[in-house]
Amino acid sequence: MAGQTEPVVHTPHGAVRGRHERGITVFRGIPYAAPPVGPRRFRPPAPPDPWDGVRDATAFGPTAPKPPYSEAFAQYLSDPAIPGDDCLNLNVWTPEPSPGARLPVLVWLHGGALTRGSSAVPVYDGHSFARDGVVCVSLNYRLGVEGYGLFPDAPANPGLRDQIAALEWVRDAIAAFGGDPDRVTLAGQSAGAISVGALLAAPRAQGLFRRAVLQSGAPEAGERDKVRRMVRRMAARLKIPATAESFAAADRDQLLRAQAEVSRLSSPVLGGPAFGIVVDGDVVPRDPLEALVEGDVARGVDLMMGWTRDEYRLWLVPGGLLERVDRLGAVALAGARARCRCGTEVVRGYRALYPDAGTAETVGQLVTDHLLRIPLHRLADARPGSSYVYEFAWPSNLPDLGACHALELGFVFDSGDVPASRRLAGEGAPQELADAMHGAWVRFARSGDPGWPAWDATHPVRVFDAGEPTVTHGPRDAEFDLWKADVTMRGTRSRRLVRR
């Protein structure tokens, strides 16, 4: 597009100038809420102040404050940190920035355990979606204690409230960028998918999106006491009261160091302290999974959801945890039982199903089913006909990772050519797999049908792997039957299977 003038679009708060890149138009760092600093720290998001003239939107905006990944994880995961207070911003990739285009929209919520990640991660480049006729929006939201701390003098879940503010911005502004506010798909991975699940059930988010994608994350609410303990431990290290007022007055770098210290032993597989979305009687009035399974919320929303075959390997391979769990043997299995609140029969069942699996693999699959597959299975069962389920099965070319957590992202975004994608996939990832997976996400955003049968009593699952496309039926029903039998035997309600 050499020689073209720089694109300018008018938003409700002022005009922004983007740039043309590789045949599409990109706007970066657009504020959707005011900077969460000073009296706005730990408070719900406020609208940004309007600006005069044309604001430059050619570079990613500041990222939310966060500690860096450990050295063990940083070799696999990219997480740029961009300084600045104005971190509640978003980016738009569009093929046609004009009000008449009315194109489908995909809004992306990044992962990172609600403590890390940002929209500036190179894997999340929205170019391929725009190239294929979908307006792509990615956003930053508050993380860690500033996004999910629980205080007696501040509302809960400010990070989730940020996401709602961004969706409201999309509703009000996306038409000017060529998007259709009535055809919005909300998608996320890991903590982003957990957020999608909470927003599906949130009364304030109803009507803000028409379709939803949950990648390797299920609707859940964390334990309020666990979050409170995190805040109290941080307060003890900082020698301040455990209140939002005191935390807002604290040095941000000291807060991040304290947060990193108290969460050092946290792991999806092993448990431990962690920040999370909590039931607050307001934005999250009840457990999101129970609201979606038992209630009528979001009944008109099409769903696509799935997991990777070896999710746990990203959590256990860095730092040598895989070998350590294998050495622990029966102790690790007992810990997994406690983590998943299941009986010995479930563990015996996994041993019988996978007789060649080591302890770490058994523990990993057990916890992955508990946290991800079983709740997503329940959600699909509650929404037959409008739910589509997938499994990503292609193993990384790097040693020991297998089809690990987050590996599918470079295929969904068709961004395998960026170095950040190769950190997980290695060299030579199959382009035909990216074509298939990215194409399914584009079709879902356009029509609600990704290209395989919707969930029904036969449990169809689209398996993404190298080679010809396959749809299997009930590939993990044996594991689910183990859990159902355990629930019946122990006389508990099934919701115990999905709570941490």
Side-chain angles (χ1 to χ4, degrees):
M1 292 189 174
Q4 286 192 354
T5 58
E6 293 178 321
V8 174
V9 169
H10 293 269
T11 79
H13 306 106
V16 292
R17 178 184 293 108
R19 66 195 309 171
H20 300 294
E21 297 179 4
R22 295 182 293 158
I24 57 100
T25 305
V26 186
F27 301 81
R28 296 182 174 93
I30 304 172
Y32 66 83
V37 296
R40 293 187 175 125
R41 256 177 113 183
F42 300 97
R43 310 305 302 178
D49 293 330
W51 58 87
D52 297 324
V54 179
R55 183 183 182 118
D56 182 76
T58 58
F60 286 116
T63 53
K66 57 189 173 178
Y69 280 116
S70 67
E71 185 176 343
F73 280 92
Q75 66 177 311
Y76 297 113
L77 301 173
S78 173
D79 193 14
I82 302 172
D85 292 330
D86 207 356
C87 63
L88 300 184
N89 58 70
L90 52 77
N91 320 294
V92 181
W93 288 262
T94 176
E96 189 177 346
S98 64
R102 307 292 288 184
L103 297 168
V105 180
L106 184 137
V107 178
W108 178 252
L109 301 180
H110 68 79
L114 299 177
T115 57
R116 294 178 175 88
S118 78
S119 65
V121 172
V123 179
Y124 307 148
D125 189 295
H127 175 271
S128 295
F129 280 103
R131 176 200 66 197
D132 295 331
V134 177
V135 176
C136 183
V137 178
S138 64
L139 59 110
N140 295 328
Y141 53 93
R142 279 175 283 183
L143 303 170
V145 70
E146 295 198 31
Y148 299 93
L150 197 55
F151 299 96
D153 55 337
N157 300 313
L160 195 69
R161 295 169 190 266
D162 294 341
Q163 295 167 6
I164 293 174
L167 286 169
E168 290 171 340
W169 183 96
V170 169
R171 177 196 62 200
D172 298 337
I174 203 63
F177 293 84
D180 184 346
D182 295 323
R183 283 201 293 165
V184 173
T185 297
L186 181 63
Q189 184 266 348
S190 192
I194 293 171
S195 300
V196 171
L199 293 168
L200 274 166
R204 294 191 185 186
Q206 301 304 296
L208 293 176
F209 52 96
R210 182 173 173 181
R211 302 183 179 101
V213 181
L214 297 90
Q215 298 174 217
S216 300
E220 67 172 32
E223 298 175 15
R224 292 176 66 91
D225 286 344
K226 180 181 284 190
V227 177
R228 284 197 187 99
R229 286 197 297 271
M230 289 281 286
V231 172
R232 288 169 185 157
R233 289 172 184 171
M234 290 182 63
R237 288 178 179 271
L238 295 165
K239 296 180 172 56
I240 61 175
T243 63
E245 181 181 14
S246 297
F247 272 57
D251 177 77
R252 183 168 267 156
D253 289 338
Q254 291 182 357
L255 275 186
L256 291 176
R257 282 195 293 272
Q259 178 180 302
E261 289 166 358
V262 301
S263 60
R264 183 172 54 87
L265 299 179
S266 176
S267 162
V269 172
L270 304 179
F275 287 107
I277 296 166
V278 297
V279 173
D280 58 13
D282 178 18
V283 175
V284 186
R286 63 179 295 199
D287 180 277
L289 183 62
E290 300 308 321
L292 291 166
V293 169
E294 299 176 358
D296 292 326
V297 295
R299 278 292 171 186
V301 177
D302 301 318
L303 302 178
M304 183 166 70
M305 63 193 90
W307 49 76
T308 71
R309 183 165 291 176
D310 307 309
E311 299 271 6
Y312 65 95
R313 287 187 169 269
L314 182 64
W315 304 322
L316 292 183
V317 169
L321 272 176
L322 199 71
E323 294 80 4
R324 274 185 270 173
V325 173
D326 271 334
R327 287 196 299 270
L328 286 170
V331 174
L333 288 170
R337 276 186 53 215
R339 174 94 168 96
C340 301
R341 302 174 186 174
C342 66
T344 55
E345 294 80 7
V346 175
V347 176
R348 290 195 195 105
Y350 276 72
R351 288 294 206 189
L353 287 170
Y354 304 105
D356 298 327
T359 298
E361 184 174 353
T362 301
V363 167
Q365 294 290 11
L366 188 73
V367 175
T368 299
D369 282 344
H370 166 70
L371 295 178
L372 297 178
R373 298 188 184 112
I374 288 173
L376 291 178
H377 193 284
R378 287 186 65 203
L379 181 55
D381 278 346
R383 308 284 172 124
S386 61
S387 298
Y388 298 85
V389 178
Y390 73 88
E391 178 174 274
F392 179 83
W394 181 79
S396 169
N397 287 324
L398 297 178
D400 300 322
L401 287 179
C404 69
H405 190 70
L407 180 59
E408 89 282 9
L409 290 168
F411 297 88
V412 168
F413 280 86
D414 191 14
S415 57
D417 57 338
V418 305
S421 289
R422 293 197 292 273
R423 286 191 185 189
L424 273 182
E427 299 293 336
Q431 180 59 45
E432 62 272 16
L433 180 56
D435 294 340
M437 203 164 194
H438 173 72
W441 266 242
V442 168
R443 286 191 295 273
F444 185 73
R446 285 177 178 165
S447 67
D449 182 352
W452 65 88
W455 190 260
D456 59 18
T458 68
H459 299 172
V461 177
R462 169 66 159 96
V463 178
F464 287 99
D465 202 345
E468 291 299 314
T470 59
V471 176
T472 63
H473 292 268
R476 293 193 173 272
D477 283 356
E479 289 98 317
F480 300 148
D481 288 342
L482 287 171
W483 290 92
K484 290 175 184 176
D486 185 63
V487 170
T488 302
M489 190 177 304
R490 290 154 64 89
T492 59
R493 293 186 64 189
S494 62
R495 66 183 173 198
R496 291 188 61 186
L497 299 178
V498 298
R499 288 187 175 172
R500 298 188 178 188

